Amino acid sequence: VIPVTAHGHVTAFIEFYTDHRVEATAEMLELVEAIGAELSRVAERHRAERELVARSREAHRLAMVASRTEHIVIVLDTVGRIEWVNDAFVRHSGFTLAEVRGKVTHKLMEGPDTDPQVVAQVADAILRGAPCKVDIVLYNRKGERRFHEVEGQPMYDERDRYFQYALLSLDLTERKRAEAALRESAEYFRALFDESPVPTIIQSAIDYRLLRANSAYTRMLGYGPDEIVGTDALAGRIHPDDEAAARELRESFGKDAVSARFERRMIARDGRIVWVSGHSVRFRDAQGAPHLMTVLEDITEQKEREAALRSAKEQAESASRAKSQFLANMSHEIRTPMNGVLGMTELLLGTPLSDKQRRFADAVYRSGEQLLEIINDILDFSKIEAGKLELDEVDLDPRALIEDVFEMLAPRAHEKRLELACRIAPSVPSAVRGDPVRLRQVLTNLVGNAIKFTERGEVVLEVNAEPADPPDPACAGAGAPRYRLQFVVRDTGIGIRPDALAKLFTVFMQADQTMARRYGGTGLGLAITKQLVELMGGRIAAESRVGVGSTFRFDVVLAAGNAATFAPAAAADVFAGKRVIIVEDNPTNRSILESQLRLLAIDCATADNGMQALELLRAAARAGTPFDAAVIDMKMPIMDGLTLARAMRADPQLASVRQLMLTSLGGDNEARVAHQAGIEGYLAKPVRQQELIESLARLLGAAPRPVEVQRVPALRGRRVLLVEDNPVNQEVARVMLEDLGCSVRLAGNGQQALDALAQEAFDLV
């Protein structure tokens, strides 16, 4: 076997021989020619093999590329049978190469929507070896409908012979869906924009040309689309008074603003002024250019209604002021004769009457008081509504004021056998500056309502105080410390429905309209209370559960007063070391009494009934630490106060314990029976703190510290000038003053009073 590389040497030898005409034998020449021919054949075969290997490597590289592309690649023979597919075909169709080799492509993947004409077009191109490009619907193994863009190219060998056909397919399903969604969105936007009843425009955010306007906008202003598209949105269509605000809004969009709301007047083609409320939003289009979309609402009718309402409101306010003035005048005119009715009735009750007459007079007096309460509510309301209610500011003792209110309301509570209790925290200052009349009015209303709507149980008032925020330095009296007094009125009454709580403080409204018939009232009390609390710098709120009870909370802000005005009646140190037992079945009252006594440095023990108290008293006596006094509630279960007092007097160990009895009833006979039982002190509930201190001081032999009290001078013999125009009230006041021993002279008006003062000397006017 001659190596292929020898071929060149043989060829060179023949050429040398030929060129130099070297003589050779015929046999030699024949042999050389035969060797050369064989070598040429061998060289040609090796060249063909090298080209085949090169084509094989190229085909391998192309196959690797085809396998990695996302396009589907299918290699067919010249009649359309599958010879090879790439990985993308397997992923999209669900068929493997082994399953599809030798099969016709469209037979595998055609479905009900596959166009047979397109299939025939591809088949014809394969048979002819011609290129093709079609869109076709095919189905994968799962039966899913897919859109494909298919391109076919014939493949030729090295001798330019057609031997294979390649199909390249791109799955356009998601693109088609996106295009469909985009078309749908565009169509939806077009319909929404053009057919919307809301006037809408789109303008450039660079030069503010109007790019698009819907039909609602053109209808609103009466312009055609061709007349306004391409023009400045402000040109001739904005009211001159609103142009500055509109340009300022544009400047804000030129900076950082992305949206804005506005109201402005626009001018229609026919000169009408159209009020619009607008909302502009900045956005960018597909090319990134900034645009503004503005949605407008025609509010012309609304503005006209508002103007009409303002006019009506002003008229109503004027009428309301006139009504308030009328109510104030009428209330005053009614109060004058009412004063006469009550005064004369009170004088009548002071004369000898039969039982029947006294009952009638009492009924007249109570009815008059109820009527006067209603008149007072109406007068207060009319003053508040007219803005004429002014608050006084004087030094007051909040403890004394609260105890006054409780003393006044105690008979109502005792009639219903309710426990009436008050807990005043040590933080409450001894003196503040405020309006005692209005603060008393608020407390009387809330505590009185609690008693009115409670059939059994208790009514409790809790009072706390904390420093208030410092006032404005520019305000008068800003240097004085201020306190926020917090009041909580809690009862166990009928409660209030949740739907009624919302309107509780509304004028002329009651929680339940049926209550007006059962309990009476105007529905003004809580409304007035709310406004009084707010005038005093506070807030009021209520919470309630039907059948469980209600809680009202309010606070007022008051400046500190002069504490020296209200000096304590007794020093706490006189009670230091004293031991007192409190016998009270009501836990609230028991806790309040204990707090009051501990403030005096008294060592306290408590018992909730008489039997428990006896055990504690005897145990203390046996231990050599007896109690000095006992504060006993008269009405208790198991053993009442009188029985306990008698048992203590009968026990030699307890006979020396001083006794102070508390009662909620306070009848004359009850007091007499208590004294007969050996009880040395007797107080009616609710107990004033000062009265409790003074009573214990007397019982324990600790004399109270003397207090400077400015007493009213004796009136007997004093000369009084009475100035009153109403004859009935003249008579009432004259009789009352004369009963006090005064000498009275009448004056019917101010001028008569001045004339009398010029002629005579009086002690009191």
Side-chain angles (χ1 to χ4, degrees), residues 521-555:
T522 60
L524 284 173
L526 287 177
I528 294 171
T529 296
K530 179 177 183 291
Q531 297 195 51
L532 289 175
V533 167
E534 290 174 349
L535 282 173
M536 289 186 277
R539 298 178 300 274
I540 188 169
E543 55 191 57
S544 182
R545 291 176 58 193
V546 176
V548 176
S550 304
T551 300
F552 285 79
R553 306 175 190 273
F554 76 94
D555 57 70

Side-chain angles (χ1 to χ4, degrees), residues 555-597:
D555 57 70
V556 295
V557 177
L558 302 175
N562 183 7
T565 308
F566 311 102
D573 55 5
V574 301
F575 297 105
K578 300 295 184 181
R579 303 195 71 221
V580 176
I581 184 170
I582 301 169
V583 190
E584 167 66 76
D585 64 304
N586 183 274
T588 303
N589 279 334
R590 190 166 63 245
S591 174
I592 292 171
L593 289 169
E594 183 179 7
S595 299
Q596 290 175 337
L597 295 185

